[in-house]
Amino acid sequence: MLTTIGDRHGKSAAQVVLRWLIQRDIVAIPKSVHADRIAENFEVFDFELTDEEMETVAELNEGESQFFDHRDPEMVKWLGEAERET
C-alpha cells in the first residue's frame, strides 16, 4: 500500500512514511550512509498526503513494533550481554 501511495506522488514508500510522520507533527530523524537515500529523505516537502492516504497509512499499524521493545526485561538483558561480548 505504501508503494501504491508513493507511485501516485512519484515517491518511494520510505518517503510516504516520512511525509506521514511530518503531517502528524512527529519528528523523524532518518538515517542513511548512502548519498542517494540521504537526498531522498529531504525530498518529502514537495507533496502532501490526502486525508484518505493519511488514514490508509494509519490503518497499517498493527499495534506491534517491528523492532525490539526496550521495556522488555529479557531484551534489555540480551542487549546488555551483547554489548559486553563486543
Side-chain angles (χ1 to χ4, degrees), residues 11 19 42-48:
K11 301 294 180 178
R19 184 65 211 181
F42 283 107
E43 295 173 2
V44 295
F45 299 102
D46 60 348
F47 76 106
E48 191 168 305

Side-chain angles (χ1 to χ4, degrees), residues 6-23:
D7 289 346
R8 287 185 211 141
H9 296 280
K11 301 294 180 178
S12 70
Q15 288 171 306
V16 169
V17 172
L18 286 173
R19 184 65 211 181
W20 181 76
L21 291 168
I22 289 166
Q23 284 183 228

